[in-house]
Amino acid sequence: MPAIPVDHGLAIAAILFSLGLLGLLVRRNLVFVLMSIEIMLNAAGLAFVVAGARWAQPDGQVMFIFMLTLAAAEVAVGLALLLQIHRRFATLDADATSEMRG
């Protein structure tokens, strides 16, 4: 079975990362912002796997497993923060958090 060329894999990773960055900058809903961050993390993980496959080393898969654990922790903390923001402001709009004071 032929492997995917490195430039194609990195191009897909770059497109995914760009879409995640665009979603991060454009969206105001905090749930979509978290989803955009997840897309960016998955794009970086894909780049690690493609680079590891290029040199026939398992380092890309190992880094991807570390990134999955990082993403799981980010989701847990992010959703807890979203719940607290929704309880306080009754909205998930990112502009509503500008009213937060210490």
Side-chain angles (χ1 to χ4, degrees), residues 17 72 75 90:
F17 192 86
V75 165

Side-chain angles (χ1 to χ4, degrees), residues 13 16-17 38-50 64 67:
L16 280 174
F17 192 86
E38 288 296 319
I39 290 172
M40 291 170 64
L41 281 173
N42 284 331
L46 178 63
F48 276 121
V49 169
V50 168
F64 186 69
M67 291 182 69

Side-chain angles (χ1 to χ4, degrees), residues 2-99:
I4 298 173
V6 176
D7 54 347
H8 291 236
L10 291 178
I12 291 172
I15 290 170
L16 280 174
F17 192 86
S18 300
L19 287 174
L21 185 63
L22 181 69
L24 185 71
L25 296 174
V26 172
R27 293 289 188 157
R28 294 287 87 197
N29 190 335
L30 292 176
V31 174
F32 287 112
V33 168
L34 277 179
M35 287 179 12
S36 297
I37 292 172
E38 288 296 319
I39 290 172
M40 291 170 64
L41 281 173
N42 284 331
L46 178 63
F48 276 121
V49 169
V50 168
R54 162 66 175 90
W55 289 290
Q57 296 291 323
D59 298 341
Q61 284 96 2
V62 171
M63 285 302 296
F64 186 69
I65 290 172
F66 286 140
M67 291 182 69
L68 283 178
T69 58
L70 175 74
E74 179 257 332
V75 165
V77 171
L79 288 178
L81 287 172
L82 283 180
L83 284 173
Q84 292 299 320
I85 289 171
H86 188 267
R87 282 187 185 149
R88 178 166 178 169
F89 297 108
T91 185
L92 289 177
D93 188 27
D95 294 329
T97 59
S98 65
E99 299 172 5

